[in-house]
């Protein structure tokens, strides 16, 4: 049976990317000030009801990019990419770059992303025009033939990291700095006293822990912890036009659809034999099935993919599926591929393998190699599908990334700074008050809710 200490200065709930990164960076900050971290000093205890990487971070595709239409997201991602680069080996990070390949309807917005990347010194190349885009793609892949493409944004930084290896790397670094990671312990409630809402102790399946501060990094389980904290199930959101929308549910779920084509990862190398950038294509060209030629969609659609030795194939995904039930009725456990409800269906396999064939001739007729195994998982989204990083009940810091977050390894560093009193300008646009105040992030034309 795992045991927990009677008291800790910081209790971190969740051993995913945010909990582990926050704990590790916090330990770094405290030690830099001469504070002893660990038993006998300032205790930072990470609790996970299952184990390191048991949530979304352990099944994520692992794509790391800057490409966001929202300036605040882009600046935050630029910081996170620099954190990945700081210790690529420990985080199993592959800096192969990232490409956003788009139709005309997204041209102007992607151009503005490029311009702002230049402004913040984030290296990228922007190609405009149908012929120019095709030529650029053919210099990478001679078999490129995606249609209705009029721009290519090639980010030279970013790439992907191996999900579990990255989490184990983070956990190892955190433990080496004195962080205690306790697996198999579930948080079941919060205590407060003396007429204050501040949390004085956390109840767990292994007993109560008195604490000074709580950090919540529970990914798809945020709805249940939010309820335990007594935070509002519904909120008012002031729209961009100034209209107030009442009774908007705080959380809703979507199902991420991902899978693997069981080819040798080398199959997807570039013309000059290198590992390619992560490819993300959106297009409004009709998509037909590579199996039987039937029309799959004639609306804007998108996919992403990369060769990945960890998944042992070409791995990627497409747009998420809506999860209809109210957040309180969604069964998050068992999570990910173990879920009886939220794994991808044959429709996804047909769509995604056809989309691969749409992009590159080498994938035509390969749909039979799609790996028929449960994959995908659900994410919990905020009303505007952007993160909330904020303090609640005086001493509870909630990191709710609205499913953007494997790539956001740097958020933990910024949160650690805020925990010791250094306010972060990069986190400020993600406060909860933005909903009531109408300071919402701009919305892009992308078919994905996270672009
Ligand atoms: C299929 C899929 C693919 C994705 N691909 C990408 C990608 O390519 N790039 C990207 O940037 N993002 C991606 N995401 C999103 C990203 O994975 C998540 O946003 C991110 O991992 C969330 O991290 P987290 O630390 O908040 O939560 P998690 O990694 O989910 O960790 C939360 C942890 O909290 C624990 N926990 C929950 N409740 C309790 C409790 N009561 N007590 C104790 N412990 C508890 C869980 O066991 C879990 O280990 C993907 C998501 C999915 C589902």
């Amino acid at each position: 049976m795992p045991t927990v200490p009677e008291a800790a200065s910081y209790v971190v709930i969740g051993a995913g990317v945010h909990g582990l990164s926050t704990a590790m960076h916090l330990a770094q900050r405290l030690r830099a000030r001469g504070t002893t971290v660990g038993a006998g000093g300032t205790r930072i205890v990470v609790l996970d009801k299952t184990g390191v990487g048991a949530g979304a971070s352990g099944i994520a595709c692992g794509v790391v990019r800057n490409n966001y239409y929202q300036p605040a997201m882009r600046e935050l991602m630029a910081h996170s990419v620099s954190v990945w680069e700081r210790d690529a080996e420990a985080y199993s990070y592959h800096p192969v770059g990232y490409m956003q390949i788009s139709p005309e309807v997204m041209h102007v917005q992607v151009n503005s992303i490029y311009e702002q990347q230049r402004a913040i010194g984030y290296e990228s190349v922007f190609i405009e025009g149908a012929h120019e885009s095709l030529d650029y793609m053919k210099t990478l892949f001679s078999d490129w033939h995606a249609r209705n493409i009029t721009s290519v944004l090639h980010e030279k930084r970013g790439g992907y990291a191996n999900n579990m290896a990255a989490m184990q790397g983070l956990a190892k670094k955190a433990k080496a700095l004195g962080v205690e990671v306790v697996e198999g312990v579930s948080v079941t409630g919060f205590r407060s006293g003396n007429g204050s809402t501040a949390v004085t102790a956390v109840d767990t399946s292994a007993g109560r822990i008195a604490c000074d501060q709580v950090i919540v990094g529970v990914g798809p389980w945020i709805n249940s912890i939010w309820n335990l904290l007594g935070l509002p199930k519904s909120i008012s959101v002031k729209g961009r036009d100034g209209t107030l929308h009442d009774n908007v549910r705080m959380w809703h779920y979507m199902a991420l659809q991902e899978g693997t084509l069981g080819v040798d990862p080398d199959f997807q190398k570039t013309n000059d034999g290198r590992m390619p950038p992560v490819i993300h294509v959106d297009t409004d060209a009709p998509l037909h099935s590579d199996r039987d030629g039937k029309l799959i969609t004639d609306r804007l659609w998108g996919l992403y993919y990369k060769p990945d030795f960890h998944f042992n194939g070409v791995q990627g995904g497409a747009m998420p599926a809506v999860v209809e039930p109210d957040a309180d009725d969604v069964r998050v456990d068992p999570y990910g591929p173990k879920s009886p409800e939220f794994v991808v269906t044959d429709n996804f396999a047909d769509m995604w393998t056809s989309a691969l064939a749409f992009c590159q001739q080498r994938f035509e007729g390969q749909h039979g190699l799609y790996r028929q195994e449960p994959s995908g998982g659900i994410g919990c989204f905020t009303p505007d599908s952007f993160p909330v990083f904020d303090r609640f009940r005086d001493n509870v810091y909630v990191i709710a990334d609205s499913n953007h977050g494997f790539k956001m390894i740097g958020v933990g560093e910024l949160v650690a700074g805020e925990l010791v009193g250094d306010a972060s300008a990069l986190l400020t646009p993600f406060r909860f008050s933005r909903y009531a105040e109408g300071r919402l992030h701009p919305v892009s034309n992308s078919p994905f809710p996270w672009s």
Side-chain angles (χ1 to χ4, degrees):
M1 265 294 281
T3 55
V4 294
E6 283 179 9
S9 301
Y10 300 92
V11 170
V12 181
I13 312 172
V17 65
H18 298 306
L20 292 171
S21 174
T22 303
M24 183 198 88
H25 287 103
L26 183 59
Q28 258 174 8
R29 292 288 290 244
L30 294 172
R31 286 165 71 107
R33 293 172 166 195
T35 307
T36 304
V37 175
T42 297
R43 295 185 84 155
I44 305 173
V45 177
V46 179
L47 304 174
D48 198 290
K49 69 190 182 75
T50 308
V52 167
S57 306
I59 60 166
C61 175
V63 172
V64 175
R65 65 183 158 106
N66 181 266
N67 173 47
Y68 272 99
Y69 178 57
Q70 302 70 26
M73 289 294 278
R74 224 171 16 248
E75 285 174 31
L76 191 61
M77 297 314 157
H79 168 262
S80 276
V81 170
S82 69
V83 175
W84 284 108
E85 289 167 346
R86 230 179 262 165
D87 200 347
E89 198 180 332
Y91 301 141
S92 203
Y93 170 60
H94 306 277
V96 291
Y98 175 88
M99 299 182 97
Q100 167 68 50
I101 299 157
S102 315
E104 191 53 24
V105 68
M106 291 172 63
H107 187 156
V108 172
Q109 292 191 343
V110 181
N111 188 18
S112 83
I113 296 174
Y114 168 66
E115 291 298 342
Q116 289 169 44
Q117 286 180 340
R118 274 172 36 133
I120 61 172
Y122 194 88
E123 191 191 354
S124 60
V125 171
F126 190 51
I127 309 298
E128 296 174 88
H131 288 301
E132 291 80 353
S133 298
L134 183 64
D135 287 350
Y136 190 81
M137 291 311 298
K138 277 188 174 287
T139 61
L140 281 176
F141 306 109
S142 56
D143 64 336
W144 186 264
H145 59 195
R147 295 186 305 283
N148 291 19
I149 298 301
T150 63
S151 71
V152 176
L153 177 68
H154 186 172
E155 299 182 356
K156 297 300 177 128
R157 292 168 67 192
Y160 70 99
N162 301 120
N163 49 29
M164 270 313 255
M167 292 311 106
Q168 277 149 3
L170 261 178
K172 192 171 166 199
K173 282 166 81 96
K175 286 180 193 167
L177 292 167
V179 171
E180 297 158 74
V181 179
V182 189
E183 300 176 294
V185 171
S186 195
V187 169
T188 54
F190 299 94
R191 300 274 151 184
S192 56
N194 300 329
S196 159
T197 61
V199 170
T200 51
V202 169
D203 285 335
T204 79
S205 52
R208 184 168 295 172
I209 312 175
C211 60
D212 301 326
Q213 305 221 40
V214 178
I215 296 96
V216 175
V218 293
W221 290 268
I222 182 60
N223 180 60
S224 58
I225 291 286
W226 188 264
N227 288 343
L228 282 180
L229 285 164
L231 298 172
K233 283 179 187 287
S234 298
I235 62 168
S236 295
V237 179
K238 193 195 252 185
R240 284 169 199 84
D241 60 358
T243 311
L244 203 61
H245 304 269
D246 291 326
N247 291 319
V248 178
R249 287 294 269 147
M250 181 60 206
W251 303 108
H252 64 278
Y253 283 90
M254 297 193 94
L256 282 289
Q257 309 205 85
E258 294 195 344
T260 304
L261 191 71
V263 291
D264 187 324
D266 284 340
F267 187 71
Q268 171 59 9
K269 277 190 168 165
T270 58
N271 295 343
D272 58 3
R274 292 183 206 212
M275 290 315 270
V278 175
I279 302 291
H280 181 117
V281 178
D282 296 310
T283 180
D284 46 16
L287 179 64
H288 291 91
S289 170
D290 188 48
R291 284 185 200 164
D292 55 20
K294 280 192 193 134
L295 179 69
I296 294 176
T297 181
D298 54 5
R299 300 198 173 166
L300 190 63
W301 58 270
L303 93 163
Y304 49 93
Y305 59 101
K306 59 177 167 37
D308 192 322
F309 287 92
H310 173 78
F311 282 98
N312 197 20
V314 168
Q315 191 267 349
M319 293 93 69
V322 172
V323 173
E324 295 287 356
D326 183 88
D328 284 349
D329 299 324
V330 172
R331 279 186 297 168
V332 183
D333 286 305
Y335 185 68
K338 295 195 189 99
S339 167
E341 291 169 89
F342 302 117
V343 287
V344 299
T345 62
D346 189 51
N347 283 348
F348 165 77
D350 188 26
M351 183 270 163
W352 187 68
T353 54
S354 303
L356 286 173
F358 173 96
C359 293
Q360 293 186 250
Q361 192 259 330
R362 74 190 71 180
F363 292 115
E364 287 178 359
Q366 303 284 344
H367 49 81
L369 295 176
Y370 179 82
R371 205 162 289 139
Q372 299 288 350
E373 59 194 9
S375 60
I378 55 174
C380 196
F381 290 73
T382 60
D384 62 352
S385 295
F386 291 106
V388 168
F389 305 128
D390 212 343
R391 222 181 272 269
F392 297 85
R393 292 183 58 166
D394 295 339
N395 64 346
V396 179
Y397 202 114
V398 172
I399 307 172
D401 69 14
S402 200
N403 204 71
H404 289 270
F406 180 86
K407 65 182 84 60
M408 293 175 150
I409 196 171
V411 165
E413 180 176 52
L414 303 171
V415 170
E418 294 210 319
L419 291 170
V420 298
D422 291 342
S424 162
L426 291 177
L427 296 181
T428 305
F430 301 99
R431 304 302 186 211
F432 180 62
S433 60
R434 75 173 182 273
Y435 296 117
E437 293 165 2
R439 286 181 291 102
L440 302 180
H441 297 278
V443 175
S444 80
N445 290 335
S446 156
F448 289 80
W450 54 75
S451 286

